[in-house]
Every structure is written in C-alpha cells, then in structure tokens.
Amino acid sequence: MVVTPTVTGLSTGARLLSVPRTIATAARASPSSLPSLCYLKKSYCPPQRRSVLPARKLVIRAARTESKGASLGFRAPNFELTEPLTGKVWNLDDFEAYPALLVMFICNHCPFVIHLKKDIVKLSNFYMKKGLAVVAISSNSVVTHPQDGPEFMAEDAKFFKYPFPYLYDESQEVARDFGAVCTPEFFLFKKDGRRPFELVYHGQFDDSRPSNNVPVTGRDLSLAIDCVLSGQPVSSTQKPSIGCSIKWNPGGKQ
C-alpha cells in the first residue's frame, strides 16, 4: 500500500507532514515495515535492542622468533659493554673466577621478556648465591625502539631490582658474536679451571609463554644450572627459547 502524506499549512508558514492514522496502525501491527516509515516520523522507530557480545580473553600477539645458531661447546666471545645504571664497563674477564656464567639477551618492551622478568630476578638471586655469574644484555635498536634505550634500561634495572648488570650493546656486535636472535635468549656457559667458558645450555626458560596459561617455573634453565654447579653433564636435548626478534638497526647487517 502506497501512502501519500498530506501537507497541512501552519500560520507561521512552516509545513508539517500529516501522517494518516492507518500508518500508525500498520506500524504497530507490522514491526518489519518500520524502517520504511522512519523518514516520515522518527517516533515510529522504537529503539533497537543491542546484542551483548561475550567478553573476549586478551591475547598478546607478538612476532615469535626461536633461538638458534650457537652450538654446544661454543666458547663465550669477549665483550666490553657499559651498564647504563652505574656507568661501569664490563667485559668477559670480570666473570673469570666463576664456575658458570649465564648470559641473557633481553630488552624492556618485549611481551615475552616482560612475562618472565620477575622470575628471572628470582632465579638469578637464588643461583648467584650458589656461585653462578649472571649478565643481561640489550641489543635492540633505539632507532626503531627508543623505549629500549639506555636511559630506560637503567629505569628497568632499578624498578625490577636486577641483581645482575644489564648492559647496552649499542653496536649490536655482541649479539652477532653470540649468534643471538631473540629476546629472551639464554646462554649458559661452564668453566673448568683455566679453560675458557664453554656453552652447555642454549634453550628456554620453561614452557610458559604470554597467554598460554602455563605457570612460570624456570624449570628448564634451573635444571641446566643445577647440573653445571654440581658437576653433572647437561642434557643435549634442549627446547629453543621463543621470543621477540632482536630489533636490528635499519640498514645494518644482521
């Protein structure tokens, strides 16, 4: 049925569309016809019900990179890096007296590192008392990720109370020398007498990842450290660490 509105004149000169009663009746009888009547008078369009969507679980998504490259038995390369928090320069010889050395490549912003930070501190505090030397290195480009720069590294180290030096690899040469590709990435070296540090573990912290609901335990790395400090061989079956890729300087070699 086609309805033609009639025009009613008003004393002020304005014109008003007069809608026949049959339209209102039809509107009440047939809700499906309401959209075609809305242009006549808005009051004919009742508020629409909004569907309520179920709450969604927050999932952290980040580019995933696996540790690779370094072979067991690999000798720890020398380095000379500054600790932003104290200004002190550290090198490999500073850890010469320790039976084992844990080198960690981490950064400030990576969700995989943030997920483990508190537990990395706990593990380090526990094993440093048993004779383990620990050092952390950030090699990320401050061109692409200024939040990983030395000023913010110092703040991070202070906030989380890092018991180990957190060093800045501005040139990224140390990361290349170690063969590091992701954060976090763990290199555990042992030392026999005067022999150089040799790599015995290059694997994950544990099976926990952001949003996978697996509790953080540090089991894999802890077992390797226990073996080294007790003079036992470390299993060669090692799961790679998974994290964010190291952010290389634009145009630089990788």
Side-chain angles (χ1 to χ4, degrees):
M1 178 180 66
V2 178
V3 178
T4 304
T6 59
V7 179
T8 302
L10 299 181
S11 59
T12 58
R15 297 197 299 173
L16 174 67
L17 292 178
S18 176
V19 182
R21 184 180 301 275
T22 55
I23 295 177
T25 303
R28 290 192 296 271
S30 179
S32 62
S33 65
L34 292 182
S36 64
L37 300 175
C38 290
Y39 76 96
L40 295 176
K41 197 172 183 181
K42 290 184 178 180
S43 60
Y44 289 128
C45 298
Q48 301 295 314
R49 290 187 178 183
R50 296 181 179 178
S51 58
V52 179
L53 298 176
R56 292 184 178 181
K57 181 181 176 181
L58 176 64
V59 177
I60 298 175
R61 299 186 184 278
R64 296 162 65 95
T65 300
E66 289 189 358
S67 60
K68 56 185 179 181
S71 301
L72 299 182
F74 164 74
R75 290 185 176 182
N78 192 26
F79 58 83
E80 190 170 290
L81 298 173
T82 301
E83 180 182 11
L85 180 62
T86 63
K88 180 179 177 179
V89 176
W90 294 77
N91 58 56
L92 185 64
D93 290 340
D94 292 320
F95 307 100
E96 185 71 19
Y98 294 86
L101 170 65
L102 174 63
V103 179
M104 306 178 290
F105 285 84
I106 64 173
C107 67
N108 294 351
H109 86 278
C110 174
F112 292 89
V113 176
I114 293 172
H115 180 64
L116 299 178
K117 278 184 182 178
K118 292 181 179 179
D119 291 276
I120 286 174
V121 170
K122 290 179 182 178
L123 180 144
S124 299
N125 276 322
F126 180 80
Y127 284 106
M128 288 173 72
K129 295 176 182 177
K130 294 177 176 289
L132 177 70
V134 182
V135 61
I137 299 171
S138 177
S139 301
N140 275 1
S141 170
V142 298
V143 176
T144 60
H145 291 72
Q147 66 269 45
D148 288 335
E151 176 184 350
F152 299 105
M153 288 175 60
E155 291 178 2
D156 220 47
K158 188 174 183 180
F159 179 81
F160 286 97
K161 298 180 180 179
Y162 286 167
F164 45 77
Y166 184 23
L167 312 182
Y168 178 42
D169 178 22
E170 182 177 11
S171 70
Q172 304 185 320
E173 288 298 328
V174 175
R176 295 187 186 94
D177 290 344
F178 274 82
V181 296
C182 65
T183 58
E185 187 162 357
F186 304 94
F187 296 81
L188 178 63
F189 298 89
K190 75 171 183 178
K191 194 173 189 304
D192 292 327
R194 295 185 177 182
R195 296 183 63 185
F197 281 111
E198 294 184 355
L199 185 68
V200 293
Y201 182 80
H202 181 216
Q204 66 177 8
F205 193 76
D206 57 25
D207 289 324
S208 185
R209 306 286 184 266
S211 301
N212 75 351
N213 294 323
V214 175
V216 179
T217 62
R219 180 179 182 275
D220 296 58
L221 183 55
S222 294
L223 286 174
I225 297 172
D226 284 335
C227 288
V228 171
L229 295 181
S230 62
Q232 302 298 316
V234 178
S235 172
S236 60
T237 302
Q238 303 172 7
K239 295 180 181 179
S241 184
I242 296 176
C244 305
S245 62
I246 287 180
K247 309 308 183 221
W248 304 103
N249 288 319
K253 62 179 180 178
Q254 299 183 17

